[in-house]
Amino acid sequence: MAKSTPYLKRAPNGVYYVHWTDNRIGKRVSTKKRDLDDARMALGAFLLSGEPIVRVPRMSALWAIYRAKHAVVKLVSPESADLCWKHLRPHFGALPASDVTQDAVDEYLAKRTTVRNGRAVKPQTVLKELAYLKAALKFCAERGFVSIKYVRKLELPAAGEPRRHWLREGEIERLKAAARAHRIAQGGETALRLSRVERFIALALETAGRQQALFELTWDRVDFETRVVDLDVPGRKKTNKRRAFVPISDALLPVLERAYDERINDLVLDNQGDVWATLQLVAINAGLADESKRARHRGKPKATGVSANVLRHTAATNMARRGAPLWKIGKVLGNSTEMIERVYAKHQPDDLRDVVDLISNDPKKPK
């Protein structure tokens, strides 16, 4: 039994906790009750049982375990988990695992998606953050750091609609022309060598590679003899985001040959620094900025609506629109066939044209 007599105290979230001290160390455990009379009954049941009070670990402690034993060791990008926890910590960090309830999740969703509580984010962003929270709880429960009974089935925000923004052929040409004009405008020796943004645009559109894969691409994985680019880094941790062997297209070949002649180190893009800002400037010069997004961000260049993901999506959309089998598109992107069908099947209506023609034309009727 605790050294001091347990007593009830209501937390800011409305739940009553049993508080006590043990060797001058303050401890508490949730009654899971918001009504005072119910909480008193829960306290009475405990006092009658004579069982020791077991403190439920807080989420901040469980997250530290999850990060050290899983995120840093297993995840390709633990930084992504750290960023999510940065937003989760103020709401869940001090909560014991027993208080990670649907009410707590709903409250977090409301706060994150409300402008008055800071920069509002989309529910899909909250979904990603809460998925990390659930993963941390499950990991710690499976390894005995917390009771499995606290790993509840929680209703999370729905996944977002598939990305719809992609660049048409004319927009692609304007983007490439703007990138070339931006390089020439720099003058001097810089104007004579393909810029990083030119190489990035060409690679993104012709390989459909993810941004980080392109940043990490080295010349030893560009095979001009067999005309294949290997986007997978040797020894890289394997995840669901697979990286593919992609043939070098006719459009990409001269760009890579010139870039190889102009190379200054082993990286195809010279370095792994972000190309975002330059890409936004080029998109603005090409007249491709999404003015609705720019208005929400006070006209800052970063909000043009053109990104590495949009270039990847453009490549996949063009392959689908021009009749490429969906399973082959999946191999290029490193995604499952189910995901490809969900997002890109709508760009191949010809597969259904002979079926809809039967609506008003009965082939059995005599002509």
Side-chain angles (χ1 to χ4, degrees), residues 135-150:
L137 255 178
K138 182 180 179 182
F139 177 89
C140 290
E142 289 175 346
R143 285 155 181 76
F145 293 105
V146 68
S147 173
I148 191 67
K149 67 182 180 181
Y150 301 131

Side-chain angles (χ1 to χ4, degrees), residues 257-272:
E257 288 177 335
R258 176 176 174 180
Y260 183 77
D261 291 338
E262 298 172 343
R263 69 190 185 283
I264 58 175
N265 56 37
D266 292 336
L267 289 170
V268 176
L269 291 177
D270 295 346
N271 59 70
Q272 296 189 34

Side-chain angles (χ1 to χ4, degrees), residues 13 15 32 34 91-92 95-111 126-127 130 133-134 137 149-158:
N13 63 2
V15 175
K32 303 180 184 179
R34 294 177 183 271
H91 189 83
F92 292 100
L95 289 184
S98 55
D99 284 4
V100 181
T101 62
Q102 188 63 52
D103 285 343
V105 167
D106 292 344
E107 183 181 348
Y108 179 73
L109 173 62
K111 285 184 177 180
V126 183
L127 171 61
L130 291 172
L133 184 76
K134 288 186 64 176
L137 255 178
K149 67 182 180 181
Y150 301 131
V151 184
R152 301 178 175 88
K153 183 177 180 180
L154 301 173
E155 183 179 343
L156 304 184

Side-chain angles (χ1 to χ4, degrees), residues 11 35 68 97 112 118 137 147 158 160 163 184 191 215 219 226 232 299 328 341 360:
D35 181 79
R112 289 286 282 141
L137 255 178
S147 173
R163 187 179 297 277
I184 294 173
F215 286 164
W219 284 115
T226 60
D232 197 15
K328 286 189 176 182
E341 289 179 346
S360 299

Side-chain angles (χ1 to χ4, degrees), residues 43-233:
L43 174 60
F46 158 72
L47 293 173
L48 289 173
S49 71
E51 297 178 357
I53 295 179
V54 179
R55 184 181 182 186
V56 181
R58 296 185 180 186
M59 278 309 307
S60 57
L62 296 179
W63 180 267
I65 295 171
Y66 169 76
R67 186 183 187 282
K69 295 181 176 291
H70 180 76
V72 173
V73 178
K74 298 290 186 180
L75 299 184
V76 173
S77 178
E79 294 80 12
S80 179
D82 290 340
L83 180 59
C84 288
W85 180 245
K86 177 182 177 182
H87 297 292
L88 290 164
R89 184 178 60 240
H91 189 83
F92 292 100
L95 289 184
S98 55
D99 284 4
V100 181
T101 62
Q102 188 63 52
D103 285 343
V105 167
D106 292 344
E107 183 181 348
Y108 179 73
L109 173 62
K111 285 184 177 180
R112 289 286 282 141
T113 55
T114 303
V115 175
R116 66 174 177 270
N117 285 293
R119 178 175 175 267
V121 300
K122 295 181 179 179
Q124 294 76 29
T125 300
V126 183
L127 171 61
K128 178 181 179 180
E129 295 166 354
L130 291 172
Y132 273 113
L133 184 76
K134 288 186 64 176
L137 255 178
K138 182 180 179 182
F139 177 89
C140 290
E142 289 175 346
R143 285 155 181 76
F145 293 105
V146 68
S147 173
I148 191 67
K149 67 182 180 181
Y150 301 131
V151 184
R152 301 178 175 88
K153 183 177 180 180
L154 301 173
E155 183 179 343
L156 304 184
E161 289 293 319
R163 187 179 297 277
R164 299 184 183 278
H165 184 204
W166 54 280
L167 303 181
R168 274 59 176 178
E169 187 172 348
E171 293 174 322
I172 293 173
E173 293 306 316
R174 283 158 49 196
L175 185 68
K176 291 180 178 179
R180 184 167 56 254
H182 178 72
R183 165 173 55 88
I184 294 173
Q186 303 302 306
E189 294 184 2
T190 303
L192 303 177
R193 181 175 181 266
L194 283 176
S195 64
R196 284 190 76 229
V197 74
E198 285 180 287
R199 281 172 278 151
F200 180 82
I201 291 171
L203 282 167
L205 287 172
E206 297 297 329
T207 69
R210 293 183 176 88
Q211 176 174 285
Q212 191 59 38
L214 302 184
F215 286 164
E216 295 173 352
L217 181 61
T218 50
W219 284 115
D220 62 316
R221 288 183 282 121
V222 178
D223 191 332
F224 288 104
E225 184 176 347
T226 60
R227 288 185 57 169
V228 171
V229 172
D230 180 5
L231 294 176
D232 197 15
V233 178

Side-chain angles (χ1 to χ4, degrees), residues 235-300:
R236 170 182 170 269
K237 298 175 185 176
K238 304 304 179 186
T239 69
N240 291 332
K241 293 184 176 180
R242 301 187 300 276
R243 296 185 180 181
F245 286 84
V246 183
I248 300 174
S249 67
D250 291 340
L252 181 59
L253 181 60
V255 177
L256 284 180
E257 288 177 335
R258 176 176 174 180
Y260 183 77
D261 291 338
E262 298 172 343
R263 69 190 185 283
I264 58 175
N265 56 37
D266 292 336
L267 289 170
V268 176
L269 291 177
D270 295 346
N271 59 70
Q272 296 189 34
D274 204 349
V275 74
W276 176 266
T278 309
L279 180 61
Q280 304 317 296
L281 180 59
V282 168
I284 292 171
N285 292 340
L288 300 179
D290 184 332
E291 294 302 329
S292 64
K293 288 188 176 182
R294 294 195 70 207
R296 292 199 299 272
H297 292 273
R298 301 179 184 177
K300 293 182 180 179

